[in-house]
Amino acid sequence: MSSTTGQFLIQRPRFNHVFLQNNSFHIPKRVQFSVLPQSSHIPVPLSSFSQFRGSKFLECKCASEKVSESFERDPGQEFEPEPHQIVKQKKASIVDILKQSNSILPHVVLASTIMALVYPPSFTWFTSRYYAPALGFLMFAVGVNSSEKDFIEAFKRPDAIFAGYVGQFVVKPLLGYIFGIIAVTVFGLPTPLGAGIMLVSCVSGAQLSNYATFLTDPPLAPLSIVMTSLSTATAVFVTPMLSLLLIGKRLPVDVVGMVSSILQIVIAPITAGLLLNRLFPRLCEAMRPFLPPLSVLDTACCVGAPLAININSVLSPFGLTVSLLIVAFHLSAFIAGYFLSGSLFHKAPDVKALQRTLSFETGMQSSLLALALANRFFQDPLVSVPPAISTVIMSLMGFALVLIWAKKKE
């Protein structure tokens, strides 16, 4: 042993195997040591011997500049991944990023709202004729990620469907009537603005509520779709009746047009997604990573366009007060749907998921339909101000809840 370096000089054996027997060194008899030149000695530091009592392995670190190929491997070959492995890792990371695009949806909705306020032409090209295809694409994305069994299971919960219907056409219209009266009597706003708030509460559920449920609780997305489809189908009769009861004006709703919109926005896209998933599963698997970012852009257009098109009404002298009232209306609807379902289904194993689903159903409604009805059947343009503001507020609040509840689940 060298006194200066504190190292053993071990000659290289002809046979490279050393065994441990009964927790001690055992060198086979066949192993012979040859006398090597000083330059071939392998210096091994004393500190490199690990404690091996009770262990069947001996670890030693051989540090030498010149050793034989049998004692040493090329570090590049041992630790460097193959080029094809690097490519696979990059592909996987890109796919993960695409799949996680939904997590930035609330931020994108907020950005689209600001852009629509600052520079309206950025969304004015997205006119009302694009609304149905855009919402239909969201329903197609839900269909691709679902199966027919999910919808069969949804119909096995009539109590939850009925609760969602009550929240949609009983709880929400009552809240709309209350805030419409407050707008006129307390804040002294013109009557058409109060009528616009009531009109928002009379329409059916929003397709965005289905997408919000899909982001937070995917197994309950079919249940949300069934609720929204039922409220939309019956809205041809219920919405005119509620508008007559609350506003005092009979709205001649286009029944054929509403049925056609249901087929275009809900039934056809979901059916197409389900069939594609059933007949071509590999194609759907390849499509799924690209659906979240496309859905985010789609939703941003659906939120920013109504605000940009109706920017003059939103920025009117009554805009801020109406916005606060709309915020209070939607917040009350979200809270009412959440706690109402919690009291009714407190024994259900998925009560929290049901509460979130019914909260979306009660708090989010088809403000675009209310906006179309206001523009078509009311002469006063102020009636369209609350629906235009509601489109933005509803989306911001709904997808903010998506972000909050998704983080809580994690």
Side-chain angles (χ1 to χ4, degrees):
M1 184 180 75
S2 174
S3 61
T4 58
T5 61
Q7 295 178 335
F8 282 118
L9 296 179
I10 302 175
Q11 292 180 343
R12 181 177 60 205
R14 293 178 182 175
F15 187 71
N16 295 332
H17 298 283
V18 179
F19 302 94
L20 284 175
Q21 193 173 41
N22 296 327
N23 295 332
S24 62
F25 264 120
H26 174 67
I27 302 176
K29 294 180 179 180
R30 294 182 181 181
V31 178
Q32 298 179 0
F33 290 85
S34 61
V35 179
L36 300 176
Q38 181 68 22
S39 60
S40 300
H41 289 172
I42 307 171
V44 180
L46 285 172
S47 59
S48 64
F49 286 94
S50 62
Q51 297 295 331
F52 57 92
R53 181 179 298 272
S55 171
K56 292 185 178 181
F57 299 92
L58 176 66
E59 298 177 0
C60 53
K61 298 181 179 178
C62 299
S64 176
E65 295 179 356
K66 296 181 179 180
V67 291
S68 64
E69 294 180 357
S70 62
F71 276 76
E72 181 178 277
R73 291 184 181 179
D74 187 3
Q77 295 180 356
E78 185 174 355
F79 297 105
E80 263 189 31
E82 297 295 331
H84 69 276
Q85 294 177 346
I86 298 175
V87 173
K88 286 183 179 179
Q89 290 176 358
K90 289 182 179 178
K91 286 183 178 179
S93 63
I94 294 174
V95 169
D96 291 339
I97 291 173
L98 292 174
K99 288 182 178 180
Q100 295 174 2
S101 301
N102 290 325
S103 61
I104 64 171
L105 182 59
H107 307 86
V108 174
V109 170
L110 179 61
S112 64
T113 302
I114 296 174
M115 187 176 295
L117 289 172
V118 175
Y119 187 65
S122 59
F123 287 103
T124 50
W125 60 271
F126 197 84
T127 57
S128 58
R129 65 177 179 175
Y130 297 119
Y131 292 162
L135 294 174
F137 177 78
L138 296 179
M139 293 300 99
F140 173 76
V142 174
V144 168
N145 289 277
S146 305
S147 66
E148 62 273 10
K149 293 181 181 179
D150 298 329
F151 288 89
I152 294 174
E153 291 297 323
F155 281 106
K156 292 181 180 179
R157 309 186 74 166
D159 50 350
I161 296 174
F162 180 73
Y165 195 83
V166 171
Q168 193 68 245
F169 282 133
V170 177
V171 175
K172 192 179 61 179
L174 286 176
L175 293 173
Y177 181 77
I178 292 172
F179 283 101
I181 295 298
I182 292 175
V184 177
T185 59
V186 177
F187 292 96
L189 297 178
T191 303
L193 291 174
I197 296 175
M198 295 179 189
L199 182 61
V200 169
S201 68
C202 294
V203 294
S204 57
Q207 280 73 31
L208 287 179
S209 66
N210 308 147
Y211 189 58
T213 301
F214 171 72
L215 296 178
T216 53
D217 301 284
L220 291 186
L223 179 63
S224 176
I225 292 170
V226 170
M227 292 178 184
T228 304
S229 300
L230 180 61
S231 66
T232 305
T234 57
V236 295
F237 310 107
V238 178
T239 297
M241 182 182 66
L242 287 173
S243 63
L244 177 63
L245 181 64
L246 300 182
I247 307 174
K249 181 178 178 61
R250 184 182 296 275
L251 298 180
V253 179
D254 185 4
V255 177
V256 177
M258 290 195 70
V259 173
S260 176
S261 67
I262 294 170
L263 292 174
Q264 293 178 23
I265 297 174
V266 181
I267 306 299
I270 290 177
T271 303
L274 290 174
L275 288 176
L276 197 67
N277 193 17
R278 179 68 178 270
L279 300 176
F280 305 99
R282 291 185 179 180
L283 178 61
C284 289
E285 190 66 27
M287 290 171 54
R288 285 191 183 102
F290 300 96
L291 292 178
L294 292 176
S295 299
V296 169
L297 294 175
D298 190 346
T299 306
C301 291
C302 291
V303 173
L307 179 61
I309 294 172
N310 298 275
I311 190 66
N312 293 329
S313 300
V314 175
L315 298 180
S316 63
F318 310 107
L320 179 59
T321 306
V322 175
S323 298
L324 294 176
L325 288 169
I326 292 294
V327 168
F329 163 70
H330 283 293
L331 181 61
S332 301
F334 279 119
I335 294 174
Y338 187 85
F339 287 103
L340 176 64
S341 56
S343 61
L344 292 176
F345 304 105
H346 61 278
K347 293 183 179 180
D350 56 347
V351 58
K352 290 297 181 183
L354 269 176
Q355 285 182 278
R356 291 188 286 265
T357 301
L358 289 174
S359 178
F360 286 133
E361 284 299 311
T362 309
M364 303 178 74
Q365 64 283 323
S366 183
S367 301
L368 292 175
L369 175 60
L371 181 61
L373 293 174
N375 290 330
R376 183 173 180 180
F377 300 114
F378 290 86
Q379 296 180 354
D380 197 320
L382 289 178
V383 179
S384 63
V385 174
I389 296 176
S390 174
T391 303
V392 180
I393 297 298
M394 173 199 67
S395 303
L396 286 174
M397 295 181 70
F399 290 114
L401 286 176
V402 168
L403 184 64
I404 294 171
W405 283 334
K407 284 187 176 181
K408 283 188 176 181
K409 286 180 65 179
E410 293 176 358

